Amino acid sequence: MSASAAQRIVSTSGCTRPRTAVSRVTVQAAVAAGKRRRNLQVCAAATSPGVLQKLARVFKEKAQQDVDRIFKGTSKTREKLGVIEELFAYWNLEDADETLEELEDALIMSDFGPKTAFKIVDGIRDKVKRGQIKTGEQMRSELKGSIVDLLTSRGGSSELAIEGAKPAVLLVVGVNGGGKTTTIGKLAHKFASGGAKVVLGAGDTFRAAAAEQLEEWARRSGAEIVRAASEKARPDTVLFQTVDQAVKTDADLVLCDTSGRLHTNWNLMDELAKCKRSITKRLPDAPHEVLLVLDGTTGLNMLNQAKEFNETVQLSGIILTKLDGTARGGAVVSVVDELGVPVKFVGVGEGIEDLQPFDPESFVEALFPEAPADEQQ
């Protein structure tokens, strides 16, 4: 089959205690040092000119905005975790065992999951017994530090592993309704706005409106799109041709869409593995990232999905969407703990800028913001 028969290429341009009020300024100050260090690491990783330096610049310029959006997007989860603020406030050593049990319950109710919640609280309990935690503020600090450590030690780096790749190829997978195609569109916009040449691959050949939806995102972001010319075209062929086109046109970044599928449909999962092999056939070191889009509102129910996708295509990262619409944000921590796969991006709103790079420090600070100094006394 000729390239022209297999695809159509479209270029576009164009006892209750009052809860403490915490300002975003407090959160921004708490994570500023970590953000600066993170941005320096991203810039240092981009050793060659081109897309990587441009993407690093985009992340750096958006860093302050990221804090604001993460703070807004985690408001429902933060509200649900409000009971923990009372545990910090009324902490005393005499009631330590009871308080720590309540802390476990609060974390589980916010979808941290029993395994993860027990792991976090057991570490705190051990330090209490050794006399290293004596105050509520010390417990708050240890809780936050434990969650950040878990996210970084179990998940590894949340940066995209695209250093030195040209084009860098991202294969995006997920179930129907998780926001996969929209997420690809937002990624295209984010990276293209930094000057990268982006090619989108319309590998979702089953959903009738998928290619049209992706084409609209291509138009909005100024990306190029490769899509099937006929209903009989196979998704693995489309993605092979997408990568081929990106190589020939010296593109920087390829974002490959795939058909949404239930993780229990083995035939479709096998087809997904074939899509990955097809990409590798055209570019041996690709895909450089295999990203699973998960709907944050499903909470811990997403774990079974993630495990099956991981077994089939070996995930390198997770994109968590709709975090702003749920109080189950603790599932972020549980998924990383269970799978050992990092979260790369989080969706904290419906806007085109609301898909944000995931930063463990900012995320934890947004969930457990420091109270102003005058209120800690």
Side-chain angles (χ1 to χ4, degrees):
M1 180 183 294
S2 67
S4 59
Q7 66 182 36
R8 179 163 64 90
I9 302 169
V10 181
S11 295
T12 57
S13 59
C15 117
T16 342
R17 183 174 181 239
R19 295 185 61 201
T20 301
V22 182
S23 69
R24 294 181 200 138
V25 175
T26 305
V27 178
Q28 292 166 359
V31 300
K35 280 288 186 181
R36 286 194 295 271
R37 181 172 64 255
R38 184 178 176 84
N39 289 326
L40 288 174
Q41 290 171 343
V42 175
C43 292
T47 56
S48 60
V51 63
L52 298 179
Q53 288 183 345
K54 295 172 184 176
L55 297 184
R57 184 177 70 247
V58 169
F59 289 135
K60 184 174 183 178
E61 291 172 352
K62 298 291 185 182
Q64 189 63 51
Q65 186 180 22
D66 292 352
V67 177
D68 289 342
R69 292 182 184 276
I70 290 294
F71 190 87
K72 293 177 184 176
T74 54
S75 61
K76 292 185 178 181
T77 299
R78 186 166 55 252
E79 182 177 351
K80 192 166 186 178
L81 288 168
V83 64
I84 294 180
E85 294 297 325
E86 294 184 8
L87 299 181
F88 295 151
Y90 295 109
W91 167 265
N92 65 78
L93 289 174
E94 290 76 12
D95 299 327
D97 289 340
E98 181 180 347
T99 301
L100 290 173
E101 288 182 4
E102 292 181 16
L103 177 58
E104 286 176 343
D105 291 343
L107 292 175
I108 292 171
M109 289 296 292
S110 294
D111 270 41
F112 276 74
K115 178 181 175 181
T116 302
F118 294 156
K119 179 185 298 186
I120 292 170
V121 176
D122 282 348
I124 297 175
R125 184 178 287 110
D126 182 60
K127 291 193 174 184
V128 170
K129 290 179 179 179
R130 287 187 282 160
Q132 295 176 323
I133 296 178
K134 298 179 180 179
T135 68
E137 281 307 309
Q138 289 175 339
M139 186 171 77
R140 177 206 296 269
S141 178
E142 182 62 28
L143 174 63
K144 291 164 64 174
S146 297
I147 297 174
V148 171
D149 288 346
L150 188 152
L151 289 170
T152 54
S153 64
R154 285 290 296 145
S157 174
S158 58
E159 303 292 347
L160 290 175
I162 55 177
E163 295 87 351
K166 187 175 176 68
V169 181
L170 277 58
L171 177 64
V172 184
V173 302
V175 301
N176 288 316
K180 178 169 46 62
T181 302
T182 298
T183 295
I184 290 174
K186 290 181 178 181
L187 286 171
H189 170 80
K190 179 180 286 293
F191 295 155
S193 68
K197 183 175 182 179
V198 180
V199 178
L200 306 182
D204 185 351
T205 59
F206 288 94
R207 187 164 62 91
E212 287 74 15
Q213 183 184 0
L214 199 64
E215 189 167 337
E216 173 59 20
W217 277 110
R219 185 193 65 78
R220 294 173 66 180
S221 62
E224 185 177 276
I225 181 171
V226 177
R227 53 179 296 183
S230 72
E231 295 181 357
K232 295 182 179 179
R234 300 197 314 266
D236 57 299
T237 300
V238 174
L239 295 186
F240 179 95
Q241 297 292 349
T242 299
V243 177
D244 183 61
Q245 178 69 15
V247 171
K248 290 178 178 177
T249 59
D250 197 33
D252 297 305
L253 186 66
V254 181
L255 298 171
C256 297
D257 195 10
T258 56
S259 300
R261 63 205 67 222
L262 292 175
H263 57 286
T264 54
N265 190 320
W266 310 122
N267 289 335
L268 288 180
M269 292 296 280
D270 287 343
E271 183 183 82
L272 191 60
K274 184 183 295 185
C275 287
K276 183 181 178 183
R277 291 194 299 270
S278 182
I279 292 171
T280 305
K281 183 177 180 180
R282 179 58 186 88
L283 194 63
D285 60 341
H288 303 94
E289 291 272 8
V290 181
L291 304 174
L292 173 64
V293 176
L294 292 172
D295 182 344
T297 63
T298 62
L300 284 177
N301 293 328
M302 69 179 73
L303 270 175
N304 287 334
Q305 296 176 23
K307 288 177 180 177
E308 295 297 338
F309 275 97
N310 192 37
E311 183 177 337
T312 301
V313 290
Q314 296 77 52
L315 302 173
S316 62
I318 291 168
I319 300 176
L320 194 68
T321 64
K322 308 178 187 179
L323 192 60
D324 58 308
T326 181
R328 310 174 79 177
V332 175
V333 184
S334 186
V335 168
V336 172
D337 186 30
E338 291 278 349
L339 293 184
V341 175
V343 176
K344 303 278 184 169
F345 290 88
V346 289
V348 291
E350 296 182 359
I352 198 168
E353 296 287 352
D354 288 330
L355 183 69
Q356 297 297 315
F358 181 73
D359 177 71
E361 293 178 357
S362 297
F363 176 73
V364 173
E365 190 63 39
L367 294 185
F368 305 101
E370 297 287 350
D374 58 344
E375 302 226 7
Q376 293 180 13
Q377 299 174 356

